[in-house]
Amino acid sequence: MNLSKKFRKNFLQKSFAIYGLGKTGSSTLNFLKKKKISTIYIWDDNKKIRGQHNLKKKNSLGFFKKQLNLVDFIVISPGISIEKSIFKKELLKNKKKIITDLDIFFILNPTVKSIIVTGTNGKSTTCKIIQHILSTRYKNVYLGGNIGKPILDLKFNKNSIVTIEASSFQLAYSNYIRAKYAILLNISNDHLEWHITKSNYINSKFRIFKNQKKSDFAFLDNKQLVNIYKQKKLKGNLNIIFDKNFKFIKIKIKNTYFETNINNQNLIFAYHLIKKLNISDKMFINSINTFRGLDHRYQIIYKKKFITCINDSKATSFEASKYAIKNNKNIFWIVGGKNKLGDSFELKNLKKNIIKSFIIGKKTAFFKNQLSNHINYKVSYTLQKAVVDIFKDLKKFNSNDITVLFSPASASYDQFKNFMIRGDQFKFFVRKYAKKYL
């Protein structure tokens, strides 16, 4: 999509409606205010949040609904589903007006060197790896989007390199993004309760390539995804990633975080990207050797005697959990939470690695059904009880290689506000009860 200089120049003279005032929506509101936009209307479905923004009576639901038909652009926050919105009729009618904070960034910063990373699993870790490597060579390296600061909160200049983690929610409504480097890591069933169909979910991910030109780079490593890319007749410089040569690089990495194969895909994509940015193998290896992993993503939090406890709270689907299960043996697996639409557990080749599972959460029927006839399990209901149950059971085993794996394979929302709080609670309980039972 070629945007004229006139369009970009006049963009900040337009009127805006911001729907959703969470982290991203508030960031967009503050940004537009700083740009002295004269006409901005705001709304959030949460009454408490509306109160925090001091919305007056004139900014009622009916008033905002009317403005959706009148403004030039509607900025929707990630996570808001048009199909489930109270403004569904108006949003569908004005769908061409809908943009995101990512769109605003690219409209106003067409020359900034940008890297967009998306995928079902591994986005955050890949982004952090890329940022860590680039920071060893370049000064103005920034990271934002679905990780860290919202993209419009970043303070950068025209010589900066900006890495953006993009969720399917953000991409679904984005029309103007154009990444110099676009990475699609993988796609598996996720967020189908929001996207409704897997086809919609796939299409949202592929929007990172939509506006690329031949001078831009697209990175994929999956034959099926490569075929979809070609079917869509996208115009970027397609780079199909192979791990054959990377094995020689991996051998030289001396970082315990990368001892298993869990982060291989993240590393391989990062490696092929930085080669386009003229970073040497030596610099890549030296940088990776000083990288520290992100919290709640296959994070070893306790290792003593014969027990290793791993916090993998970010695993919100079975697809995310299976990597941790595949790379460990003699596992005591804590699983459960709010299961996702369309998810199922393929345990045939993994059950040999699991000694016993401990189910947590308010609704356990789905998990009992998935584990039945495959794995021995106990319903613990709470995370605290699961940790205690495991530590008590450990006394019955003489193995010198036990893994306590908290990889819930589900969302946190039934008992926790987010996966971070869930992971922090696991850390707390492990520290607390390890002293008592181990």
Side-chain angles (χ1 to χ4, degrees), residues 135-380:
S135 296
T136 63
R137 176 164 181 175
Y138 302 100
K139 289 183 179 180
N140 301 312
V141 178
Y142 298 90
L143 174 63
N146 197 47
I147 182 175
K149 290 184 178 181
I151 194 67
L152 296 178
D153 284 355
L154 298 181
K155 294 178 174 59
F156 54 89
N157 57 49
K158 63 181 180 180
N159 297 316
S160 300
I161 301 177
V162 181
T163 301
I164 302 167
E165 179 187 326
S167 70
S168 60
F169 302 144
Q170 292 170 302
L171 293 172
Y173 300 137
S174 294
N175 291 297
Y176 300 103
I177 61 173
R178 180 187 169 187
K180 181 66 180 176
Y181 306 93
I183 294 173
L184 175 52
L185 296 169
N186 48 61
I187 292 180
S188 58
N189 286 344
D190 202 5
H191 303 305
L192 296 187
E193 70 284 351
W194 194 93
H195 291 281
I196 310 300
T197 68
K198 188 170 182 178
S199 177
N200 289 341
Y201 180 55
I202 291 172
N203 288 335
S204 73
K205 293 294 189 184
F206 269 85
R207 292 177 81 87
I208 60 168
F209 306 120
K210 181 182 175 183
N211 297 319
Q212 284 192 305
K213 307 299 181 185
K214 288 183 179 179
S215 57
D216 303 318
F217 297 89
F219 297 87
L220 291 163
D221 76 342
N222 178 286
K223 185 176 181 181
Q224 183 180 2
L225 298 182
V226 168
N227 288 338
I228 294 173
Y229 183 95
K230 291 178 178 179
Q231 288 167 10
K232 288 180 176 290
K233 297 182 179 179
L234 296 161
K235 298 178 180 179
N237 183 336
L238 176 60
N239 290 254
I240 303 173
I241 306 303
F242 298 100
D243 65 353
K244 185 178 180 181
N245 296 330
F246 183 76
K247 292 177 182 178
F248 300 102
I249 301 295
K250 179 76 183 287
I251 293 170
K252 297 178 181 180
I253 295 173
K254 307 300 179 185
N255 184 335
T256 55
Y257 183 72
F258 296 107
E259 283 181 354
T260 67
N261 295 322
I262 284 179
N263 285 296
N264 272 7
Q265 188 184 47
N266 305 332
L267 275 174
I268 293 166
F269 270 95
Y271 176 72
H272 282 270
L273 169 72
I274 62 96
K275 297 308 290 182
K276 297 294 181 184
L277 294 165
N278 298 316
I279 292 178
S280 68
D281 288 356
K282 183 178 179 180
M283 188 175 286
F284 173 81
I285 293 165
N286 289 341
S287 177
I288 286 299
N289 282 338
T290 62
F291 178 78
R292 293 186 63 186
L294 295 171
D295 284 352
H296 316 298
R297 295 153 174 92
Y298 199 79
Q299 179 188 19
I300 297 175
I301 61 169
Y302 181 92
K303 195 166 187 177
K304 192 173 182 181
K305 297 179 181 178
F306 59 93
I307 298 168
T308 300
C309 296
I310 299 172
N311 169 28
D312 197 31
S313 180
K314 183 62 174 66
T316 58
S317 66
F318 177 73
E319 189 70 21
S321 291
K322 75 177 186 181
Y323 296 104
I325 298 171
K326 184 179 179 180
N327 281 278
N328 290 279
K329 295 180 180 179
N330 301 323
I331 299 171
F332 285 77
W333 178 28
I334 303 176
V335 61
K338 185 177 174 62
N339 63 288
K340 294 188 174 183
L341 183 67
D343 206 2
S344 62
F345 292 9
E346 298 173 10
L347 295 166
K348 184 178 179 180
N349 297 319
L350 297 173
K351 60 184 180 180
K352 64 181 183 297
N353 294 358
I354 303 168
I355 294 174
K356 189 175 181 179
S357 291
F358 296 78
I359 300 172
I360 64 171
K362 293 181 179 179
K363 296 183 179 180
T364 61
F366 168 81
F367 300 96
K368 287 193 286 186
N369 183 56
Q370 295 296 315
L371 300 179
S372 290
N373 302 319
H374 294 289
I375 296 168
N376 182 25
Y377 69 84
K378 178 178 181 179
V379 179
S380 297

Side-chain angles (χ1 to χ4, degrees), residues 98-110:
I98 294 174
I99 60 173
T100 66
D101 62 325
L102 296 184
D103 286 323
I104 295 173
F105 171 83
F106 280 97
I107 290 169
L108 299 178
N109 303 285

Side-chain angles (χ1 to χ4, degrees), residues 296 301-302 311 383-384 387 391 406 420-435:
H296 316 298
I301 61 169
Y302 181 92
N311 169 28
L383 184 52
Q384 180 178 14
V387 172
F391 285 176
F406 178 45
M420 294 170 287
I421 293 174
R422 178 169 70 177
D424 286 337
Q425 283 289 293
F426 178 65
K427 293 180 189 178
F428 173 78
F429 293 134
V430 167
R431 287 193 297 266
K432 179 178 180 180
Y433 294 108
K435 293 178 182 177

